Amino acid sequence: MSDVKHIEIGSTPTDWRQVVEVARHGAALSLSSTAWERIGTTRQAVEEIASSGTPHYGINTGLGALCNVVLQNSELQRLSHHTLMSHACGIGPPLRTEQVRAILCCAVINYSHGYSGISPAAVEGLLRLLNEGITPVVPSRGSVGYLTHMAHIGLALIGHGEVEFHSKRMPSQQALNAIGMSPIRLGPKDGLSLVNGTPAMTGLACLALDDTARLAAWADVIGAMTFEALGGQQDALLSEVTQLKRHEGVQYCGENLQQMLQGSRRLARCQGHHLQDALSLRSMPQVHGACRDQFDHAARQISRELNAATDNPLMIKAESSFRPVSQANPHGASVAMACDLLAIAVCEWSSISERRTYRLVTPQTNQLPPFLTSESGVKSGMMIAQYSAASMVADNKRLSQPAVTDNFLTSGLQEDHLSFGESAALKLDQALDNAFRVLSIEYLVAAQAFDLIDDQEFASSTELAWRILREVIPFYEEEHGLYLDLQAAYDLLRDTSRQDLFIARVPHLYPSERKT
């Protein structure tokens, strides 16, 4: 397939957007010759150490609390095999295909640094799963920070477990047979390397960053529509004001909102009609901007993790030889904290959106028809849509509680401080989905308000956003269940295939990203 995008990693630092290209958009992944050389050199050192008879954790010993059990070279293949079997204890519904692909991609990136000592055959097998479209079935729950998600992926390499292939769920061995791939024969350290490190939380976090970037853009666009519908006072958005706040995100959002509202004759007529807007309107630069700053922080943390070696033990070169060093790079505190902080930002985007929706539908807060219907009393209009938004925000408040601060004892007292990075990333994923639903409700309600405004001389950007929604969803007359329109608006916001269309038609929908 010549039209498939190709990404080679291993010679330059990796960016989280490359993971998204592979996981979400089907780009093919390969390693540079330099990366393969690093992997091969380190693997040779592992095999020599495994044969030496001197105990080294994870290479020729048991794992975790069994680290003092020294194994014979003939037992090391069984150790790797049993490591995958015993660690594959995930629970609950499976991860989405794109999530598993992101984890696979991050695992390959981790091994490409050349500090793991995993066999080249195992890395080749992971690449083949990715590029052939074989996706291991990975239960979403049951991880305290690593191990279980990658263990289920490792099972697919050795012909165990289940996978998705050509949209069908089947035994792993059946899919491997279909592409002519033999199960990988594991050797010393392979099992531990496959389950270790932070690829699962990092891969999940990369997808969350992509979703957050789109959420940030939509929040500005939809917020601008509401600001215009309610006749907001533009002085609050002046650059002379936002520049004094000193935060880059605040300045960026203030400028973005000004650009989108430029040329609005409706707003020009509304200036001076009241002295001050509610905070949900006038604080958009400050709130949206603070959230964008947290996105920038999270993107830096996650990109750094992508370029880190996160195995245990790591093979460290000392002069002409390698030695395995037991340490804690698999601890995912940095990613977990980044996801927890970003979940708070996502909650804030959704929270302020719901407050704006409330002002759009409440007759005491605007000059629009009550609940945005011309037949109030007989019809309830958009009244209950705001209830739905409030429910989603309540969920997000619970999801914004940190995961990283939790802790348990595991592995016979050996692992007594845990990151819960996967939990942090997965609850962030759920919070993002809720936030898209909240914003889609505001989008639907703001468009309904636009239809009911007499002087429809809106800014060009907000008018285009209104027209795009109306291409999919007509003005609501209460002749069908409102849930259908709520779902259609949500689908519009989440449809990544339409991204290019929106970029072309709404100039500020996807503003150029700042350096992360």
Side-chain angles (χ1 to χ4, degrees):
M1 297 176 64
S2 58
D3 57 340
V4 173
K5 185 174 181 178
H6 178 262
I7 292 175
E8 182 183 270
I9 59 174
S11 298
T12 57
T14 308
D15 185 83
W16 64 267
R17 297 172 188 85
Q18 293 175 295
V19 176
V20 173
E21 284 293 329
V22 172
R24 182 164 276 171
H25 305 300
L29 184 67
S30 67
L31 297 184
S32 67
S33 58
T34 304
W36 282 119
E37 183 179 350
R38 290 194 296 262
I39 293 169
T41 300
T42 314
R43 179 59 181 182
Q44 183 178 354
V46 165
E47 291 175 348
E48 290 172 357
I49 291 171
S51 302
S52 69
T54 304
H56 291 282
Y57 173 70
I59 297 179
N60 54 8
T61 71
L63 308 179
L66 302 175
C67 61
N68 294 317
V69 179
V70 180
L71 302 173
Q72 298 298 314
N73 193 49
S74 60
E75 298 177 293
L76 300 184
Q77 190 276 333
R78 291 182 58 217
L79 170 63
S80 285
H81 176 88
H82 291 305
T83 297
L84 296 184
M85 294 299 180
S86 64
H87 288 51
C89 54
I91 297 168
L95 295 174
R96 300 189 303 273
T97 295
E98 63 177 17
Q99 291 176 316
V100 179
R101 287 179 58 81
I103 294 170
L104 273 164
C105 182
C106 287
V108 172
I109 293 168
N110 181 40
Y111 305 139
S112 75
H113 302 315
Y115 294 97
S116 172
I118 194 171
S119 66
V123 181
E124 289 170 356
L126 293 173
L127 281 169
R128 191 135 185 224
L129 293 182
L130 262 177
N131 294 332
E132 297 275 4
I134 295 177
T135 305
V137 175
V138 180
S140 57
R141 301 174 65 188
S143 173
V144 296
Y146 51 176
L147 304 177
T148 55
H149 291 108
M150 278 301 300
H152 283 274
I153 289 173
L155 287 184
L157 283 181
I158 61 173
H160 287 263
E162 290 188 301
V163 300
E164 282 190 3
F165 185 50
H166 294 325
S167 302
K168 294 181 181 179
R169 187 163 171 168
M170 64 184 68
S172 172
Q173 186 64 65
Q174 182 180 339
L176 296 184
N177 291 341
I179 65 169
M181 175 178 166
S182 299
I184 302 300
R185 180 177 173 80
L186 301 176
K189 201 179 182 289
D190 283 338
L192 181 57
S193 292
L194 282 169
V195 302
N196 220 334
T198 62
M201 66 182 78
T202 306
L204 296 170
C206 287
L207 293 178
L209 286 175
D210 189 46
D211 288 337
T212 304
R214 291 189 299 110
L215 182 79
W218 274 117
D220 285 357
V221 171
I222 295 166
M225 288 180 68
T226 299
F227 190 96
E228 194 169 19
L230 293 174
Q233 304 301 294
Q234 287 182 282
D235 280 355
L237 308 180
L238 289 173
S239 58
E240 292 90 335
V241 173
T242 55
Q243 290 293 325
L244 296 175
K245 190 65 172 173
R246 308 304 184 196
H247 297 288
E248 290 184 7
V250 175
Q251 296 169 8
Y252 184 88
C253 282
E255 180 183 353
N256 200 30
L257 289 165
Q258 280 194 90
Q259 287 180 326
M260 280 186 288
L261 293 168
Q262 188 174 6
S264 171
R265 298 185 66 180
R266 168 172 170 74
L267 281 182
R269 284 192 286 269
C270 290
Q271 299 313 293
H273 285 196
H274 53 275
L275 292 178
Q276 179 174 267
D277 293 312
L279 273 169
S280 59
L281 291 181
R282 61 187 160 96
S283 73
M284 274 194 287
Q286 291 75 19
V287 176
H288 290 195
C291 293
R292 281 183 180 267
D293 283 339
Q294 306 322 307
F295 168 82
D296 287 349
H297 167 74
R300 283 192 297 271
Q301 294 296 90
I302 291 159
S303 288
R304 287 169 180 164
E305 193 75 14
L306 271 177
N307 292 286
T310 65
D311 211 336
N312 179 42
L314 291 172
M315 301 299 294
I316 305 299
K317 191 168 185 178
E319 297 180 353
S320 60
S321 62
F322 287 85
R323 68 184 184 97
V325 177
S326 182
Q327 32 62 53
N329 276 15
H331 198 293
S334 296
V335 175
M337 288 185 193
C339 289
D340 279 339
L341 189 56
L342 198 52
I344 294 173
V346 168
C347 182
E348 280 291 275
W349 267 307
S350 62
S351 176
I352 196 171
S353 171
E354 182 276 330
R355 292 291 77 200
R356 294 192 298 260
T357 298
Y358 178 82
R359 302 198 76 80
L360 282 168
V361 302
T362 303
Q364 294 92 335
T365 63
N366 61 55
Q367 304 299 314
L368 300 166
F371 304 107
L372 302 182
T373 176
S374 56
E375 299 180 74
S376 59
V378 174
K379 295 181 178 180
S380 297
M382 294 291 178
M383 180 195 296
I384 308 303
Q386 181 263 327
Y387 286 41
S388 299
S391 174
M392 293 293 97
V393 173
D395 283 349
N396 273 1
K397 289 178 180 178
R398 291 184 283 270
L399 290 166
S400 68
Q401 299 302 306
V404 73
T405 54
D406 209 342
N407 201 28
F408 289 91
L409 291 170
T410 60
S411 192
L413 303 181
Q414 186 72 5
E415 297 180 1
D416 59 353
H417 193 275
L418 309 166
S419 74
F420 286 91
E422 284 92 340
S423 298
L426 287 170
K427 72 180 181 66
L428 171 58
D429 178 73
Q430 181 60 59
L432 280 159
D433 193 70
N434 291 342
F436 273 107
R437 291 193 182 277
V438 174
L439 278 167
S440 67
I441 290 171
E442 184 188 359
Y443 193 13
L444 191 67
V445 172
Q448 188 88 348
F450 271 34
D451 282 296
L452 294 169
I453 291 170
D454 292 331
D455 56 328
Q456 294 181 341
E457 295 181 296
F458 305 119
S460 58
S461 294
T462 53
E463 181 169 357
L464 280 171
W466 173 37
R467 298 298 181 194
I468 285 172
L469 183 80
R470 284 288 171 253
E471 289 173 4
V472 181
I473 307 168
F475 180 83
Y476 188 59
E477 299 279 10
E478 298 192 33
E479 297 301 330
H480 60 268
L482 184 53
Y483 74 94
L484 296 171
D485 288 2
L486 298 184
Q487 184 63 42
Y490 166 83
D491 291 342
L492 191 155
L493 293 194
R494 302 235 61 175
D495 185 358
T496 57
S497 67
R498 301 186 62 168
Q499 190 175 68
D500 290 341
L501 169 66
F502 294 140
I503 292 172
R505 297 188 61 182
V506 184
H508 309 293
L509 183 55
Y510 291 92
S512 58
E513 295 181 33
R514 288 178 290 153
K515 191 174 182 180
T516 60

